[in-house]
Amino acid sequence: MKKILLIWMAITFVHSLSAPAYALEFNAFGDITFGDNTKEGTSKNESGEHSAFTLGQLDLWGTQPIDREGRLKAFIELVIESPGGGFVVDLERLWVEYSLMPEIQLRAGRFHTSLGHWNRTHHHGSHMQTSVFRPLFLDFEDGDYGVFPSHMVGVMSVMSYDTPIGRFRNEIQVGNGATILKTSDGTELDPQNTSDVGDGKGVATRLTYFPSFLEGLSFGGSYNFNGVKKNDKTAAAGKGTVTDFVDLTIGEADLTYIENNIEFIFEYFWINSEDTRETVKSFKRNSTAWYTQIGYTLADMWTPYYRYEFFDDLDSVDPYFGTDGLNKSAYTQNVFGIRFDINNNSSIKLEGRNLTDSPNKNTATQTVETYSNSYWLQWTFAF
Amino acid sequence: MKKIGAKLFILMLWSVFLVTSAYGEIILIGSPGIKVDSLTPKQVKQLYLSRISSLDGIEVKLADSSEIQKEFLTTYIGKSVRAYNKSWIKKIFAEGATPPVIFKNNAEVIDFVKKSENAIGYVSSKPSGVKILLKK
């Protein structure tokens, strides 16, 4: 008996030695930004009188095959950031993927919502995007201007297929629905990482077409649906109350050309919200938003760019954007800048922004439009 | 004197030609058992820019050679080394794509392609023991 046990232990030990061991290599993105914080005013082109250095996000990420055949893969992205006060660690992306065949992959975890080009292409490392900041209305849920569910926790399929006219890529996601979370710290969209306050799930799908007649060109379309509830965790609501709020449907179309040193992006969003609150059920409201960005790289190093953002066509009584919801104001913005790539691992960007903010536009409580200019200098790095 | 000058000039031109064509062809090679017999320049570009990751339903592994990468990129991809590396970092970060394995020289690339299943790489000298898929 003792001999059998010893042999079993030896076999187990040798087997464990032959099992693959994987060491994840973390990469990092980081940035430090200096901004001339603006002074709001009612006259155009007022410049700011405050300035500050800002430690940007430290983005630690890694991807690792976790089998010998290369069918299983894992991806991790941790972001350390300061929302104000101290620093927090956010698990921004975490997924495991199985490749059924080269054309089809299945994933489970937390990923960026399949909503538009920017949200699926650019994540938390500002080194990888041309500009200093994301378009304001595409800010993350915990950002000052975030209005779209930029993350989803659930399952996802990715399918790519080649045809004579070009390549198609389709993503389908099903996950926890986004919820408006109200706490003593404020109100934001919550992708619900660990639970779902409602039975309905969020769905998202994106189809991208890469035509064979022109390398670098792509056309994309996305659809996203969430039965958004309101989760009020403020003291006034006791331990927290969950109520119906809106059914949010977002449609998106985009055109990009990224080739021959040119970066051109155009994205257009349609936002439909249907009131699901008991007293005002079924009211539907429509809003739109869009942006366009163009940049050109000279000598592999210098990229001047310009972006225009339009978030000025909000339905004035849509509770989703109003004070009862995310409390976001309409705006338009001009962004212009230049990026200098020191090398592949570091860049310096200089950006100017002209923002026209229109809080509560077209409502009874509309306040005066404010105009502000701001200037930003950002040094990014990656390794 | 004039004849010597002319001969020297021709010799110089020949030397310049030899240096600039030192790498000659860039040859795309594949594993002995790979089920494709040839590649088109477009397929090479699509593979190495991660626009496709498979050929005829077969997932392929890619090899880069730091010795002749610049020449390969000029010949097949039309990008600088910096732009090429940047495009891969974006793909890896955004989609978790698997980049090519980088080797030092022809010998290492050939060894990898020979021993791997469905691997593709590029070399500058005629190899043996692997499939030749494209020459330029």
Side-chain angles (χ1 to χ4, degrees):
Chain A
M1 187 66 184
K2 203 175 174 182
K3 204 173 177 182
I4 294 168
L5 187 62
L6 278 170
I7 293 168
W8 178 82
M9 283 172 65
I11 292 170
T12 310
F13 177 69
V14 167
H15 178 74
S16 71
L17 285 179
S18 63
Y22 303 102
L24 175 66
E25 188 179 294
F26 266 113
N27 303 288
F29 290 127
D31 62 81
I32 297 96
T33 304
F34 177 79
D36 182 1
N37 291 327
T38 62
K39 173 183 174 182
E40 288 188 359
T42 54
S43 303
K44 284 200 174 185
N45 299 326
E46 276 197 26
S47 60
E49 55 183 7
H50 300 289
S51 61
F53 289 94
T54 308
L55 273 185
Q57 300 174 335
L58 175 62
D59 188 325
L60 299 171
W61 65 277
T63 181
Q64 179 69 44
I66 49 176
D67 70 335
R68 287 189 205 281
E69 294 77 29
R71 284 180 178 267
L72 270 172
K73 193 189 288 186
F75 187 99
I76 298 169
E77 184 180 10
L78 284 164
V79 172
I80 301 166
E81 59 188 341
S82 175
F87 286 88
V88 297
V89 180
D90 279 336
L91 186 56
E92 294 290 355
R93 282 190 289 166
L94 173 71
W95 50 256
V96 60
E97 174 187 284
Y98 182 73
S99 188
L100 278 172
M101 55 185 75
E103 295 82 12
I104 305 176
Q105 289 81 46
L106 299 175
R107 291 180 189 167
R110 189 183 203 251
F111 13 73
H112 275 210
T113 309
S114 291
L115 182 59
H117 165 82
W118 191 290
N119 198 51
R120 286 297 293 150
T121 305
H122 299 296
H123 300 265
H124 296 263
S126 55
H127 179 70
M128 299 311 301
Q129 63 198 32
T130 303
S131 58
V132 172
F133 300 109
R134 295 164 72 90
L136 289 182
F137 68 81
L138 292 181
D139 203 356
F140 296 113
E141 297 99 336
D142 53 0
D144 289 338
Y145 286 87
V147 291
F148 291 157
S150 50
H151 298 92
M152 186 178 282
V153 177
V155 292
M156 174 178 181
S157 68
V158 181
M159 286 172 276
S160 306
Y161 33 96
D162 285 305
T163 71
I165 61 166
R167 188 165 62 97
F168 291 86
R169 179 185 165 95
N170 177 229
E171 299 174 354
I172 301 172
Q173 298 174 335
V174 177
N176 291 338
T179 291
I180 290 180
L181 179 65
K182 191 174 177 183
T183 65
S184 53
D185 293 328
T187 303
E188 67 183 40
L189 209 50
D190 177 14
Q192 305 197 88
N193 294 323
T194 57
S195 61
D196 196 336
V197 297
D199 291 327
K201 295 296 163 223
V203 294
T205 185
R206 175 166 171 76
L207 180 66
T208 316
Y209 167 52
F210 304 88
S212 52
F213 64 80
L214 186 60
E215 284 284 347
L217 180 66
S218 73
F219 300 93
S222 310
Y223 167 85
N224 177 235
F225 174 81
N226 280 284
V228 180
K229 295 197 184 294
K230 196 166 167 190
N231 188 0
D232 192 337
K233 289 191 170 181
T234 58
K239 286 183 184 175
T241 53
V242 177
T243 52
D244 290 331
F245 198 56
V246 297
D247 280 345
L248 186 72
T249 305
I250 306 170
E252 180 274 348
D254 59 84
L255 183 153
T256 67
Y257 179 74
I258 302 171
E259 187 75 7
N260 294 322
N261 299 319
I262 297 170
E263 179 188 54
F264 173 77
I265 308 167
F266 175 74
E267 287 201 71
Y268 195 97
F269 296 81
W270 296 268
I271 308 133
N272 171 270
S273 79
E274 182 174 344
D275 217 312
T276 54
R277 294 175 296 178
E278 197 55 46
T279 51
V280 285
K281 245 183 181 147
S282 304
F283 274 102
K284 288 187 186 180
R285 290 149 185 130
N286 296 301
S287 304
T288 60
W290 60 272
Y291 79 91
T292 187
Q293 177 168 310
I294 186 155
Y296 186 80
T297 302
L298 299 150
D300 258 353
M301 288 189 288
W302 298 94
T303 308
Y305 60 90
Y306 170 75
R307 182 171 71 225
Y308 180 72
E309 300 169 30
F310 183 89
F311 191 63
D312 206 37
D313 179 33
L314 302 186
D315 188 303
S316 57
V317 294
D318 191 334
Y320 183 74
F321 298 111
T323 51
D324 204 28
L326 294 175
N327 196 22
K328 303 297 181 191
S329 56
Y331 78 89
T332 59
Q333 178 165 251
N334 290 284
V335 177
F336 46 93
I338 187 160
R339 174 186 169 125
F340 170 63
D341 282 299
I342 303 167
N343 59 22
N344 270 344
N345 296 340
S346 188
S347 75
I348 293 177
K349 307 175 202 175
L350 177 62
E351 184 172 291
R353 307 198 308 187
N354 173 262
L355 174 68
T356 302
D357 212 344
S358 311
N360 304 309
K361 188 173 180 180
N362 298 327
T363 68
T365 55
Q366 178 176 335
T367 56
V368 177
E369 275 187 344
T370 58
Y371 309 92
S372 56
N373 292 328
S374 57
Y375 306 95
W376 307 84
L377 184 65
Q378 184 180 71
W379 192 348
T380 72
F381 61 90
F383 57 88
Chain B
M1 198 64 178
K2 267 191 186 175
K3 278 188 183 173
I4 293 168
K7 282 179 185 169
L8 267 174
F9 180 66
I10 291 166
L11 191 62
M12 269 174 56
L13 275 180
W14 182 245
S15 307
V16 168
F17 172 73
L18 281 178
V19 167
T20 53
S21 65
Y23 289 108
E25 291 176 310
I26 301 289
I27 305 166
L28 271 293
I29 59 173
S31 303
I34 196 167
K35 284 180 173 60
V36 288
D37 295 319
S38 63
L39 288 174
T40 63
K42 184 177 175 180
Q43 285 174 318
V44 174
K45 187 171 182 177
Q46 287 179 323
L47 282 168
Y48 275 88
L49 290 180
S50 190
R51 288 173 185 163
I52 59 173
S53 61
S54 64
L55 293 167
D56 295 337
I58 305 159
E59 186 94 25
V60 297
K61 298 183 192 98
L62 298 175
D64 257 321
S65 168
S66 53
E67 187 181 43
I68 54 170
Q69 189 183 54
K70 195 175 170 186
E71 288 70 28
F72 166 73
L73 294 178
T74 305
T75 308
Y76 287 99
I77 311 298
K79 283 190 187 291
S80 65
V81 173
R82 182 183 266 208
Y84 173 72
N85 289 337
K86 191 174 176 181
S87 76
W88 268 106
I89 294 170
K90 275 188 177 173
K91 289 278 183 182
I92 298 164
F93 185 56
E95 299 164 25
T98 304
V101 185
I102 302 177
F103 297 98
K104 282 189 212 149
N105 51 40
N106 285 342
E108 287 189 6
V109 170
I110 293 168
D111 189 55
F112 170 75
V113 168
K114 251 190 211 171
K115 291 177 180 169
S116 304
E117 208 179 319
N118 300 320
I120 290 173
Y122 54 86
V123 294
S124 57
S125 57
K126 198 174 173 185
S128 61
V130 293
K131 259 192 189 177
I132 292 179
L133 301 174
L134 181 64
K135 281 196 270 191
K136 228 184 190 183

